[in-house]
């Protein structure tokens, strides 16, 4: 399991990761395929009749323990990660838009999109337990610690692809305002999955100069895996190789949009999507997908670790330091008698991260806007069958000159706290970061990058 933290922490120093995908860009008045990611009703606000999305990539990493300054300290990243008493949370997330097409005809707009997702999450892991498993208890070379948690700790990895079909309709279009509705239906292609969940963990960890044991322990243990992540949970090549599996799931987004229009301009073409106020709300990722593979396993165990004649000190945790897949974890626990059933080979359903989002984009003066955006998850990240998402809110001032746009998103999320970035758009090309500003002026715990190109015409 030590490989898990090493890979994740190495990514922090490689600043191609963002926590809020396309932050600041997806609420721009330059509406297109990316705008449908937060609200499908926006599509009828397209400034052109057609748009082709060539590529769009957004990567992220956020954590609640390690900042940029820690990368230059003498302390090891593994010891910093499990320092203190607050549970460890980390999110590593990639989203890649493939080829897509959008078109508008009178009061209707339609889009077809393709997207790939990859996620690896650490959710509410107890620092004493994590230190014992990953570092052989380096933060406490001697002594014993009793752990009693009433929540579910998770390590989770997921890859999947999707093809989306968006339909948007303008219902009301008056001189001063208009109202749109929209929906996106998505076909899901689950790729690979791995989950380790420890719910209601109670136990004692003893460290004697690096020999670490777990004893007097009970917990509800969930182990599930499918596809490439069954063989190696920490190898990022396995995430990229198995993004698109067979079609086996559906999800949807629904949204509404209202605009208070700006005064007409001399050139009618320039008046497209000009407003004083643009607001919208949406429910997104309503659905689930089923993982089916030859190596599918999903088992709920009752973990029970107590002293035996063969193991008088309990379970030796040092043997887990080089583990990189969940099958090996199962094998060790079963062979040593701590699990009383065998792994169950079956298909299982995983829920998408359903959320509610709302935003308002306000014109301050000519060409200068400010946007407020908020998203709230509707399911708990602690459930073993749930893909995670973060609660967050963002404020983005922007200068929009038409062909050129520059903006600065400032986001607070529940894992890494407050982050500020900057981005720009030149025609259809865009480049941005949700955390580069705070990385330069503060000790941020997030790093990010996104870029892409789309072509709008007619």
């Amino acid at each position: 399991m030590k490989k898990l933290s090493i890979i994740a922490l190495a990514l922090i120093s490689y600043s191609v990761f963002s926590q809020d995908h396309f932050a600041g860009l997806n609420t721009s008045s330059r509406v297109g395929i990316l705008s449908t990611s937060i609200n499908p009703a926006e599509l009828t606000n397209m400034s052109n009749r057609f748009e082709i999305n060539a590529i769009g990539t957004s990567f992220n990493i956020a954590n609640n323990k390690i900042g940029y300054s820690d990368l230059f300290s003498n302390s090891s990243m593994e010891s910093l990660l499990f320092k203190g008493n607050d549970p460890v949370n980390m999110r590593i997330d990639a989203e890649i838009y493939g080829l897509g097409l959008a078109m508008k005809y009178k009061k209707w707009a339609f889009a077809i999109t393709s997207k790939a997702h990859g996620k690896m999450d650490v959710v509410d892991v107890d620092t004493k337990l994590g230190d014992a498993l990953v570092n052989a208890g380096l933060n406490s070379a001697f002594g014993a610690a009793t752990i009693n948690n009433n929540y579910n700790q998770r390590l989770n990895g997921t890859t999947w692809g999707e093809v989306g079909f968006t339909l948007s309709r303008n219902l009301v279009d008056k001189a001063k305002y208009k109202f749109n509705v929209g929906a996106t239906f998505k076909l899901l292609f689950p790729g690979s999955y791995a989950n380790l969940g420890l719910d209601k963990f109670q136990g004692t960890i003893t460290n004697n100069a690096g020999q670490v044991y777990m004893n007097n322990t009970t917990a509800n243990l969930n182990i599930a895996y499918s596809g490439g992540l069954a063989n190696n949970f920490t190898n990022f090549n396995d995430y990229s190789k198995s993004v698109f599996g067979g079609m086996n799931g559906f999800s949807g987004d629904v949204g509404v949009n209202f605009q208070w229009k700006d005064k007409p301009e001399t050139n009618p073409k320039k008046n497209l999507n000009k407003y004083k106020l643009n607001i919208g709300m949406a429910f997104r990722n309503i659905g689930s997908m089923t993982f089916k593979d030859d190596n599918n396993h999903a088992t709920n165990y009752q973990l029970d670790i107590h002293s035996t004649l063969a193991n008088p000190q309990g379970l030796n945790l040092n043997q887990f330091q080089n583990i990189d897949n969940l099958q090996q974890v199962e094998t060790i626990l079963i062979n040593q008698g701590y699990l009383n059933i065998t792994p169950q080979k079956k298909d299982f359903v995983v829920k998408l991260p359903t959320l509610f989002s709302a935003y308002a984009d306000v014109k301050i003066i000519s060409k200068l806007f400010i946007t407020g955006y908020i998203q709230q998850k509707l399911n708990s990240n602690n459930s073993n069958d749930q893909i995670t998402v973060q609660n967050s809110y963002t404020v983005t001032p922007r200068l929009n000159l038409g062909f050129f746009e520059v903006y600065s998103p400032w986001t607070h999320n529940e894992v890494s706290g407050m982050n500020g970035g900057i981005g720009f758009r030149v025609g259809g090309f865009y480049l941005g970061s949700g955390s580069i500003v705070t990385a330069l002026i503060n000790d941020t715990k997030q790093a990010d990058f996104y870029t892409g190109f789309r072509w709008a015409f007619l």
Side-chain angles (χ1 to χ4, degrees):
M1 285 190 164
K2 192 168 185 176
K3 294 180 182 179
L4 173 63
S5 66
I6 292 174
I7 292 174
L9 293 167
L11 291 172
I12 296 177
S13 63
Y14 185 57
S15 58
V16 294
F17 291 88
S18 68
Q19 189 50 49
D20 293 285
H21 292 300
F22 308 101
L25 180 68
N26 50 17
T27 52
S28 169
S29 61
R30 197 285 196 192
V31 172
I33 286 175
L34 287 182
S35 306
T36 66
S37 67
I38 63 167
N39 188 353
E42 282 282 356
L43 198 60
T44 49
N45 294 327
M46 284 175 57
S47 300
N48 297 85
R49 289 181 59 192
F50 296 94
E51 179 181 271
I52 296 176
N53 186 81
I55 188 68
T57 60
S58 177
F59 304 92
N60 71 58
I61 185 169
N63 80 104
N64 66 334
K65 293 287 183 175
I66 301 173
Y68 270 100
S69 65
D70 295 318
L71 300 175
F72 307 100
S73 70
N74 293 325
S75 301
S76 69
M77 294 297 102
E78 294 90 343
S79 63
L80 289 171
L81 186 65
F82 297 107
K83 189 176 181 179
N85 295 318
D86 293 335
V88 178
N89 281 280
M90 180 179 292
R91 306 289 188 268
I92 301 174
D93 195 354
E95 186 173 291
I96 302 174
Y97 273 86
L99 191 64
L101 171 66
M103 61 177 294
K104 183 172 71 173
Y105 179 73
K106 295 183 178 179
K107 293 180 178 292
W108 293 89
F110 172 80
I112 180 170
T113 58
S114 58
K115 194 187 302 184
H117 301 263
K119 292 174 64 67
M120 189 173 78
D121 299 325
V122 179
V123 182
D124 290 337
V125 171
D126 186 278
T127 53
K128 296 183 181 66
L129 178 60
D131 182 46
L133 289 170
V134 175
N135 304 323
L138 291 178
N139 284 323
S140 177
F142 294 93
T146 299
I147 302 173
N148 189 346
N149 295 323
N150 61 359
Y151 54 83
N152 191 26
Q153 307 172 59
R154 298 179 66 199
L155 299 179
N156 181 267
T158 316
T159 67
W160 77 99
E162 67 179 47
V163 175
F165 302 89
T166 300
L167 185 65
S168 180
R169 174 73 157 88
N170 171 247
L171 297 182
V172 179
D173 193 356
K174 302 294 184 181
K176 293 186 177 181
Y177 60 87
K178 67 176 182 177
F179 179 76
N180 307 321
V181 297
T184 298
F185 176 74
K186 301 176 219 179
L187 304 177
L188 304 179
F189 299 82
S192 56
Y193 183 81
N195 185 78
L196 173 66
L198 274 174
D199 188 26
K200 296 179 174 58
F201 179 91
Q202 299 180 28
T204 300
I205 294 175
T206 304
N207 188 347
N208 185 5
Q211 293 300 309
V212 186
Y213 291 88
M214 181 186 294
N215 207 351
N216 302 319
T217 298
T218 60
N220 300 319
L221 173 63
N222 173 267
I223 296 180
Y225 43 85
S226 177
L229 296 186
N231 302 317
N232 196 318
F233 183 69
T234 59
N235 186 349
F236 275 75
N237 288 330
D238 289 328
Y239 283 76
S240 60
K241 285 190 302 186
S242 56
V243 172
F244 273 85
M247 198 278 286
N248 213 339
F250 307 94
S251 71
D253 307 339
V254 292
V256 295
N257 168 249
F258 173 83
Q259 282 191 5
W260 177 18
K261 294 182 180 180
D262 203 353
K263 60 183 179 181
E265 297 183 7
T266 305
N267 187 338
K269 188 173 182 179
K270 291 184 178 181
N271 190 43
L272 292 176
N273 205 36
K274 302 294 183 180
Y275 52 78
K276 296 180 181 179
L277 173 66
N278 183 56
I279 61 177
M281 62 183 64
F283 291 92
R284 295 153 45 198
N285 297 326
I286 307 167
S288 62
M289 53 189 169
T290 301
F291 282 85
K292 295 184 177 182
D293 197 89
D294 292 339
N295 62 354
N296 253 43
H297 287 82
T299 314
N300 290 314
Y301 298 101
Q302 292 295 319
L303 182 64
D304 191 353
I305 299 173
H306 289 88
S307 300
T308 64
L309 290 177
N311 300 298
Q313 299 182 76
L315 175 65
N316 184 350
L317 297 183
N318 294 69
Q319 60 192 316
F320 292 101
Q321 287 188 64
N322 296 315
I323 294 297
D324 57 10
N325 71 69
L326 299 183
Q327 289 174 304
Q328 292 175 304
V329 174
E330 278 182 319
T331 300
I332 291 173
L333 293 175
I334 291 173
N335 289 345
Q336 297 185 18
Y338 298 120
L339 301 178
N340 55 11
I341 61 174
T342 58
Q344 299 175 17
K345 185 177 178 63
K346 63 179 181 180
D347 301 334
F348 53 88
V349 177
V350 174
K351 299 176 184 175
L352 262 64
T354 305
L355 59 88
F356 169 79
S357 61
Y359 57 90
D361 191 30
V362 183
K363 180 180 178 182
I364 307 301
I365 57 175
S366 179
K367 313 299 183 182
L368 180 63
F369 295 78
I370 187 166
T371 307
Y373 170 82
I374 186 170
Q375 71 176 35
Q376 174 68 46
K377 62 189 175 190
L378 301 181
N379 298 319
S380 171
N381 287 338
N382 293 105
S383 299
N384 286 315
D385 60 351
Q386 178 67 57
I387 298 174
T388 67
V389 70
Q390 292 191 58
N391 294 331
S392 67
Y393 57 85
T394 305
V395 176
T396 307
R398 74 178 71 249
L399 178 66
N400 192 340
L401 303 178
F403 187 78
F404 176 77
E405 181 177 7
V406 62
Y407 48 88
S408 180
W410 291 81
T411 300
H412 184 278
N413 65 63
E414 60 184 324
V415 171
S416 61
M418 179 61 71
N419 298 278
I422 193 167
F424 69 89
R425 174 184 60 81
V426 179
F429 173 78
Y430 54 88
L431 178 68
S433 165
S435 64
I436 187 64
V437 174
T438 45
L440 295 174
I441 65 176
N442 198 5
D443 191 23
T444 184
K445 293 180 175 65
Q446 177 176 312
D448 76 81
F449 173 88
Y450 61 82
T451 188
F453 178 78
R454 61 263 179 89
W455 178 41
F457 54 99
L458 297 184

